[in-house]
Amino acid sequence: AQSVTQLDSQVPVFEEAPVELRCNYSSSVSVYLFWYVQYPNQGLQLLLKYLSGSTLVKGINGFEAEFNKSQTSFHLRKPSVHISDTAEYFCAVSEGDYKLSFGAGTTVTVRA
Amino acid sequence: GAVVSQHPSRVICKSGTSVKIECRSLDFQATTMFWYRQFPKQSLMLMATSNEGSKATYEQGVEKDKFLINHASLTLSTLTVTSAHPEDSSFYICSAIFLAGEQETQYFGPGTRLLVL
């Protein structure tokens, strides 16, 4: 069984500042890793995913994440955030069967 | 891109009644759909896997007789919350697997907010 830990429950950040959301996972097998964003009262939207290959993954809206197998981490970053990036962000893992285990989520609040 | 819809978007019902939530893949066929549940300020928890033409597979701790899942066609899965109680109030989200060649992507619906009074 796999599990996901998002180390920060809330991250306030000023507009145009960088942001990093931390995610660590545990699994006894190889995993696929995902970051999703959820805007208020909406479903989930995929930001990016790591399946294999390059450990640096680029996603939509300027986000990127780096898979670090030795540290079992998959931190999400954006060099310059916008007000519109205010949302809930979820890290998730799958062992290849499409079943996703989600972290508790990180609320990002971008202030002007 | 692929779209998954849910109906209704929100529903309020009385305790003891049953509520049906639909999940549709609008422009693709999905042999597998998933149902998740999200309590306020919490993460999504997988409830069950919905397989077209066969019985759903439920996660540990999820009552299959309470949460009835029917995947009648390749574009529709339904979740029926039977004899709903206030503790069933939650945000229910479905997802569907989209296959494009060798690429597989999981798309999520917008969710259904259920409030049981």
Side-chain angles (χ1 to χ4, degrees), chain B residues 19-113:
Chain B
V19 174
K20 180 185 285 188
I21 303 170
E22 293 184 348
C23 175
R24 292 183 186 273
S25 55
L26 295 184
D27 49 4
F28 66 99
Q29 294 181 332
T31 55
T32 302
M33 293 183 175
F34 297 95
W35 286 97
Y36 291 84
R37 182 176 180 175
Q38 184 181 28
F39 289 106
K41 306 293 184 183
Q42 295 186 32
S43 187
L44 285 79
M45 299 296 294
L46 178 65
M47 298 176 66
T49 304
S50 175
N51 304 298
E52 189 269 335
S54 64
K55 291 183 179 181
T57 306
Y58 291 82
E59 295 301 301
Q60 192 173 7
V62 177
E63 298 176 61
K64 62 180 182 180
D65 294 330
K66 181 168 185 61
F67 298 100
L68 300 179
I69 292 172
N70 183 22
H71 197 145
S73 75
L74 287 171
T75 59
L76 174 64
S77 174
T78 60
L79 169 68
T80 301
V81 183
T82 62
S83 186
H85 292 286
E87 58 265 29
D88 298 323
S89 298
S90 189
F91 195 47
Y92 292 87
I93 301 175
C94 73
S95 69
I97 303 302
F98 172 58
L99 297 173
E102 295 183 357
Q103 186 103 5
E104 299 163 329
T105 306
Q106 183 166 181
Y107 288 96
F108 285 82
T112 296
R113 191 165 299 282

Side-chain angles (χ1 to χ4, degrees), chain A:
Chain A
Q2 67 269 34
S3 67
V4 180
T5 302
Q6 289 183 242
L7 298 164
D8 308 293
S9 60
Q10 299 203 34
V11 174
V13 58
F14 285 106
E15 194 174 20
E16 297 184 8
V19 70
E20 178 180 78
L21 308 184
R22 295 179 293 171
C23 173
N24 286 89
Y25 69 92
S26 66
S27 176
S28 56
V29 300
S30 296
V31 296
Y32 301 145
L33 296 155
F34 306 81
W35 274 100
Y36 285 89
V37 60
Q38 184 180 34
Y39 298 102
N41 298 314
Q42 294 186 28
L44 298 177
Q45 181 180 1
L46 179 66
L47 279 177
L48 48 77
K49 60 184 176 183
Y50 171 79
L51 303 181
S52 65
S54 173
T55 57
L56 182 62
V57 181
K58 293 190 182 297
I60 62 171
N61 301 342
F63 285 93
E64 64 179 31
E66 186 156 19
F67 170 57
N68 188 319
K69 187 175 183 179
S70 62
Q71 296 186 4
T72 59
S73 68
F74 190 55
H75 301 332
L76 180 72
R77 301 184 185 94
K78 185 170 182 176
S80 176
V81 295
H82 302 289
I83 298 289
S84 58
D85 292 321
T86 294
E88 187 84 11
Y89 292 81
F90 292 99
C91 180
V93 301
S94 168
E95 293 181 349
D97 57 359
Y98 304 113
K99 295 181 181 181
L100 293 172
S101 293
F102 286 87
T106 298
T107 302
V108 173
T109 304
V110 182
R111 302 168 181 169

